[in-house]
Amino acid sequence: MTRTVLVTGGTSGIGRAVAERFAADQAEVFITGRTPGTVEQTAKELGVHGVVCDAADPGRAEACAARLGTLDVLVNAAGGLPQATGGGDEPPLDALLAQWHANLSQNLLTAVLTTASVQDKLTGGSCVISIGSIGAERRGGSYGAAKAALAAWNASLSAELAPRGVTCNVISAGYISGTNFFHGGLSDERRRTLVEETHNKRAGTVDDIAQTAHFLASPGARHLTGQTIHVNGGAFTTR
Ligand SMILES: NC(=O)c1ccc[n+]([C@@H]2O[C@H](COP(=O)([O-])OP(=O)(O)OC[C@H]3O[C@@H](n4cnc5c(N)ncnc54)[C@H](OP(=O)(O)O)[C@@H]3O)[C@@H](O)[C@H]2O)c1
């Protein structure tokens, strides 16, 4: 049976690799992003459906959901480090508030709103996968706090949806190369430090995350729900 898969933030990095992995199964895949040209181009390259949608906008999220029938797999990959928008002359507390709002919006509310918009389309056997971050465990600031909240929300979502047969998990990613996450601003020294923190001495790849998502959506993972799965080469261990 052909599965329907929605990947928010599917135009780049992790989301794109996840979409590609499910498209390889001949699933009917929908990707979203906020930038029309990138959505159109990526959808064409991957042979999937592209929907321009800011996942933090309730109206847009609802309009995107209206395009779907039943949904087998939702991957909330939209997120990242919001780029500063103020001119730098606003009062410090206003700038701080804007930074926190932007991070909570991009890394938490995107997943909350998208999931709520498609909730009645999930069926027994469906799964919700949200991309979290090692930043939730340490050094996270407003970004890490948003990703920690994502994991807390996932636990309650699982309690609500698992009785209907829907699994809900977070993949908490360590440093992953091949994305636009750092907006080109990752220094060689910082990169070396991030790799050095791992046990296997390598950066994560988008495929590491895509394969984990594919497993979470497989029949072998049906008893796995409410969890945060850490994919980071040992840079953070749970014990
Ligand atoms: N790369 C890493 O090292 C790393 C580590 C831990 C966790 N993560 C997480 O992995 C996820 C994917 O990021 P990435 O590393 O693959 O970065 P990326 O290459 O910058 O991809 C981010 C994607 O999300 C989209 N996006 C951002 N905000 C959105 C919104 N409000 N609505 C819809 N789409 C939105 C972007 O497109 P537009 O900007 O055009 O909308 C883009 O498609 C994020 O949640 C990030 O926090 C990344």
Side-chain angles (χ1 to χ4, degrees):
M1 201 186 70
T2 304
R3 294 198 291 184
T4 303
V5 179
L6 171 63
V7 185
T8 69
T11 62
S12 174
I14 291 169
R16 180 186 167 118
V18 169
E20 197 166 14
R21 180 64 193 85
F22 282 100
D25 284 349
Q26 272 69 55
E28 182 164 28
V29 179
F30 292 77
I31 59 167
T32 73
R34 295 166 298 180
T35 316
T38 320
V39 170
E40 191 185 344
Q41 188 185 333
T42 312
K44 203 167 153 194
E45 284 168 8
L46 300 184
V48 302
H49 304 280
V51 185
V52 179
C53 176
D54 181 343
D57 177 328
R60 295 274 190 158
E62 264 181 12
C64 174
R67 301 220 4 209
L68 306 168
T70 57
L71 183 62
D72 300 292
V73 181
L74 167 63
V75 181
N76 292 308
L81 299 173
Q83 299 201 270
T85 49
D89 50 2
E90 66 270 62
L93 280 188
D94 287 15
L96 185 66
L97 182 64
Q99 184 207 346
W100 276 79
H101 274 159
N103 259 306
L104 290 167
S105 173
Q106 196 162 347
N107 292 293
L108 172 65
L109 298 180
T110 46
V112 171
L113 292 175
T114 301
T115 307
S117 74
V118 300
Q119 202 151 309
D120 60 351
K121 297 171 188 294
L122 301 169
T123 62
S126 293
C127 67
V128 178
I129 300 163
S130 302
I131 308 300
S133 171
I134 194 171
E137 312 302 332
R138 59 194 184 182
R139 293 194 308 259
S142 52
Y143 171 75
K147 292 298 195 186
L150 182 76
W153 162 77
N154 174 70
S156 58
L157 185 74
S158 172
E160 186 185 344
L161 298 188
R164 280 173 44 196
V166 180
T167 63
C168 305
N169 293 290
V170 167
I171 300 174
S172 177
Y175 165 54
I176 305 294
S177 62
T179 75
N180 285 329
F181 181 79
F182 295 96
H183 306 298
L186 182 66
S187 69
D188 288 347
E189 190 189 346
R190 179 86 185 110
R191 185 184 188 283
R192 268 195 300 277
T193 304
L194 291 172
V195 170
E196 195 50 40
E197 284 173 350
T198 65
H199 294 174
N200 56 3
K201 306 302 171 201
R202 72 164 174 87
T205 66
V206 292
D207 204 42
D208 287 325
I209 305 302
Q211 294 291 359
T212 306
H214 193 254
F215 165 67
L216 286 173
S218 73
R222 296 312 303 163
H223 198 46
L224 219 174
T225 191
Q227 307 302 317
T228 296
I229 318 291
H230 297 275
V231 181
N232 57 41
F236 167 77
T237 58
T238 51
R239 286 284 184 279

